[in-house]
Amino acid sequence: MKYIFVTGGVMSGLGKGVVASSTAKLLQLAGLEVSCIKIDPYLNYDAGTMNPVAHGEVFVTEDGGECDMDMGNYERFLNRNIPKSHNVTTAQVFSSVIEAERDGRYLGACVQIIPHVTDEIKRRIAAIGEGESLDVLVVECGGTVGDIESLPFLEALRQMGVAGPPEDRALFVHVTLAPSLEVVGEQKTKPTQHSVQELRRIGIQPDYLAVRCTAPLLDKTREKLAMFTGVRAQDVLSCHDAESIFEVPRMLYKQGIMDSMFRKFGMVGLVDSSERWDAWNDTVRPFAVRHSREARIAMVGKYVALTDSYVSVNHALRHAAADLGVSVSIDLVDSETVGEDPDLSGYDGILVPGGFGTRGAEGIIRVAEASRKRDVPYLGICFGFQLAAVAFARGALGIPDADTAEISPDSAHQVVHLLPDQDDHATGGSLRLGAHNIAVRPGTMAGRLYGRGVSRRHRHRYEINRSMMPELESGGLVFSADSDGGRRMEILEVPRCRFYMGVQFHPEFSSRPGFPEASYRAFVGAAAGMA
Ligand code: GLN
């Protein structure tokens, strides 16, 4: 078992997750069993309670974890499911330590950050590596070196790094930035120098620097960085801007990272990897080219202030487009600014992603209605599924007060409501999470996409009200999939439209480059006029 620890310096948002995922991908392409862990030093127990506009999307795992969005990068790069145990937070670690103390398991010791908290961190990381029989585990530490919250984690990683046998058991990759003030200006090294000094103060000497920069790192910048940081010049890696993040593994490979890592790890006897490389290159090639056919998609939601709020949705659209040989442009439209009669004329398709709460919901309902009436391809995810049903009840059935209980708990016509046994815990901790089996009705669009059944990830609280279904179906809406023996509706469609589908689940979490998710692929195809 070997470890690669990825830390970050200078500032957040440099793409530490992409460097961690790309390194893991290279090891996987070399034939090794590899997975990733994300450490999040914040005090939330998980990402579930965090505002997506501040922190980015909540990524849902198969086993129902509400996780940091970097977990999505790992899954997309490695094409492998990552369990929720791979997202470690301060709250989880401290909860275990406090519980052990209350149980008397520390036998009278004074409980301290070192060794008790650091031991718990190390225990969690080692348990994953050994429990999953991995060759290499890549551990990404969130935040930036110098943050108070990260200190216990960096100390634990430092201890793991020095505890190994003679050959290196752990390698440290530090991700930093070399800014240039003008487009072709000098690449500045001082921020990286300071950041590495901070890391060394904690006791960690990085083995590699992954340096974010706009243009490729110049030799003189590389040498200067090497001199100040004690990292060999050939291990100072340029991570310059690329057409797509899937270019980064090859970018790092070309700079010799694999040979260098294997040498440092003392690893030999690797199997031929050319076939795996060919497959990967074929998968990522369409992401870097412009296609003549284009689909202009409007993504209508309320978390538009940060593109990371819907990062998996963006990726899923791009996976589908790459597979179809289409270029996709995605406009974020604030659902709060949608007028009485939404103008969709500039768009080939409308996607409404998941969401919560009243703000912006009326705008979404109007957009769902306009898409149906004007036959603009529509894909509604979760909230976008529920509100499409509400729009149908209002527009096609003429029930003006039709609503979801989430917005109008007292409406007499609740198209979407809480199931009777959910009533007592309407807020907090009552979300239906993770993968559930879905039964699909043959002869429908869903049947064409998914066959007889499919398993998909969920994150929701409200459900279609089954007592309103006969009315909705008599108006021409089809519920084409359900789960839990028919208790919950999973897919709706309007057969007379070119493509009008709502799904209660989150197909974007199951989409991978080269393996687009069926509903996204059908939606992008319809938007591009291919269906
Ligand atoms: N707010 C809705 C619910 O709780 C939809 C959730 C979502 O879109 N993720 O059911």
Side-chain angles (χ1 to χ4, degrees):
M1 246 303 287
K2 310 277 188 190
Y3 297 102
I4 293 172
F5 298 135
V6 180
T7 57
V10 182
M11 64 183 209
S12 63
L14 289 181
K16 236 181 357 239
V18 172
V19 171
S21 305
S22 299
T23 310
K25 185 71 204 177
L26 288 171
L27 295 159
Q28 189 191 52
L29 287 169
L32 299 172
E33 269 308 305
V34 44
S35 191
C36 298
I37 289 184
K38 175 71 192 287
I39 290 173
D40 277 306
Y42 46 64
L43 290 173
N44 304 60
Y45 197 85
D46 60 30
T49 53
M50 274 187 284
N51 182 343
V53 174
H55 194 77
E57 93 179 354
V58 175
F59 186 82
V60 181
T61 55
E62 283 286 296
D63 59 353
E66 297 181 278
C67 296
D68 183 84
M69 61 176 189
D70 277 320
M71 298 277 281
N73 273 325
Y74 307 155
E75 290 205 348
R76 287 184 285 268
F77 271 85
L78 297 180
N79 190 20
R80 163 183 194 135
N81 290 341
I82 309 274
K84 63 182 172 189
S85 58
H86 289 225
N87 192 186
V88 179
T89 66
T90 294
Q92 294 164 16
V93 170
F94 275 70
S95 298
S96 299
V97 170
I98 292 167
E99 203 180 299
E101 187 273 334
R102 291 290 82 187
D103 269 2
R105 277 182 268 149
Y106 293 122
L107 306 174
C110 168
V111 182
Q112 295 179 296
I113 301 281
I114 305 171
H116 302 101
V117 168
T118 47
D119 280 353
E120 172 60 20
I121 295 167
K122 293 194 290 183
R123 188 194 64 73
R124 280 174 182 253
I125 294 173
I128 288 170
E130 280 145 29
E132 295 174 24
S133 313
L134 299 169
D135 299 312
V136 186
L137 183 54
V138 176
V139 181
E140 176 189 350
C141 185
T144 307
V145 170
D147 296 346
I148 290 178
E149 284 94 341
S150 356
L151 280 173
F153 290 102
L154 292 174
E155 169 59 16
L157 300 187
R158 185 196 68 77
Q159 290 176 20
M160 292 181 86
V162 295
E167 74 270 18
D168 286 323
R169 247 183 103 213
L171 293 173
F172 284 88
V173 180
H174 192 52
V175 183
T176 69
L177 172 74
S180 337
L181 291 184
E182 312 92 42
V183 184
V184 284
E186 187 193 356
Q187 294 169 326
K188 297 290 188 186
T189 63
K190 197 66 82 188
T192 301
Q193 291 179 39
H194 281 297
S195 168
V196 173
Q197 274 169 20
E198 186 62 22
L199 198 58
R200 286 159 139 186
R201 201 179 59 77
I202 299 166
I204 295 172
Q205 166 63 47
D207 300 280
Y208 298 91
L209 295 179
V211 188
R212 282 288 289 122
C213 37
T214 42
L217 209 59
L218 301 169
D219 282 344
K220 65 171 193 209
T221 319
R222 177 177 274 122
E223 271 145 32
K224 193 165 172 191
L225 283 169
M227 183 173 69
F228 277 102
T229 62
V231 176
R232 300 184 322 162
Q234 60 264 48
D235 293 334
V236 176
L237 305 163
S238 173
C239 294
H240 42 274
D241 291 352
E243 276 303 316
S244 122
I245 55 172
F246 301 122
E247 304 284 300
V248 178
R250 196 169 27 181
M251 184 186 291
L252 294 174
Y253 183 81
K254 280 198 197 143
Q255 296 176 71
I257 187 176
M258 278 300 103
D259 288 345
S260 167
M261 281 192 168
F262 283 131
R263 209 168 325 108
K264 290 190 194 196
F265 274 147
M267 283 172 147
V268 280
L270 278 167
V271 273
D272 180 33
S273 62
S274 54
E275 221 170 277
R276 281 185 295 269
W277 266 105
D278 287 348
W280 172 249
N281 287 337
D282 287 347
T283 301
V284 302
R285 194 170 301 116
F287 288 88
V289 299
R290 269 209 78 75
H291 304 274
S292 54
R293 207 191 272 266
E294 206 200 13
R296 297 159 303 168
I297 308 293
M299 194 146 91
V300 186
K302 73 171 175 182
Y303 308 120
V304 289
L306 184 76
T307 40
D308 277 351
S309 314
Y310 305 116
V311 56
S312 291
V313 175
N314 275 288
H315 279 294
L317 286 169
R318 295 189 193 287
H319 300 162
D323 194 62
L324 292 161
V326 171
S327 280
V328 57
S329 67
I330 305 166
D331 266 5
L332 285 169
V333 177
D334 184 348
S335 55
E336 283 191 281
T337 64
V338 168
E340 276 311 313
D341 185 19
D343 176 17
L344 311 179
S345 57
Y347 298 108
D348 306 311
I350 306 294
L351 188 146
V352 175
F356 292 84
T358 310
R359 189 161 59 81
E362 286 301 322
I364 292 174
I365 293 170
R366 287 197 292 272
V367 166
E369 176 68 6
S371 314
R372 199 183 73 249
K373 280 203 174 133
R374 289 173 212 156
D375 198 11
V376 181
Y378 176 90
L379 179 62
I381 312 286
C382 206
F383 207 32
F385 157 82
Q386 298 171 355
L387 296 182
V390 170
F392 192 87
R394 288 189 192 175
L397 304 181
I399 310 175
D401 68 338
D403 217 327
T404 157
E406 184 171 0
I407 300 168
S408 306
D410 303 320
S411 163
H413 294 100
Q414 292 188 355
V415 180
V416 178
H417 67 168
L418 292 172
L419 292 181
D421 64 356
Q422 282 182 303
D423 280 350
D424 356 323
H425 46 96
T427 45
S430 62
L431 287 175
R432 178 176 181 241
L433 291 165
H436 296 275
N437 288 329
I438 296 160
V440 179
R441 208 162 108 192
T444 59
M445 171 69 89
R448 285 198 288 289
L449 299 182
Y450 293 117
R452 303 190 55 109
V454 68
S455 167
R456 286 288 180 266
R457 303 181 193 180
H458 295 73
R459 181 173 184 247
H460 66 112
R461 181 172 297 124
Y462 294 88
E463 306 282 350
I464 294 289
N465 179 353
R466 282 186 303 165
S467 70
M468 299 239 359
M469 278 173 51
E471 222 177 328
L472 292 163
E473 298 214 287
S474 68
L477 192 68
V478 170
F479 286 96
S480 50
D482 58 44
S483 57
D484 280 353
R487 265 183 97 220
R488 307 168 197 268
M489 290 306 119
E490 293 279 357
I491 304 183
L492 67 74
E493 47 194 84
V494 179
R496 60 168 182 73
C497 293
R498 277 196 295 144
F499 184 90
Y500 195 94
M501 183 175 261
V503 293
Q504 181 61 81
F505 49 91
H506 287 273
E508 60 274 15
F509 297 137
S510 305
S511 180
R512 314 262 166 91
F515 305 91
E517 205 281 338
S519 63
Y520 275 86
R521 194 176 184 282
F523 167 66
V524 174
M530 296 166 83

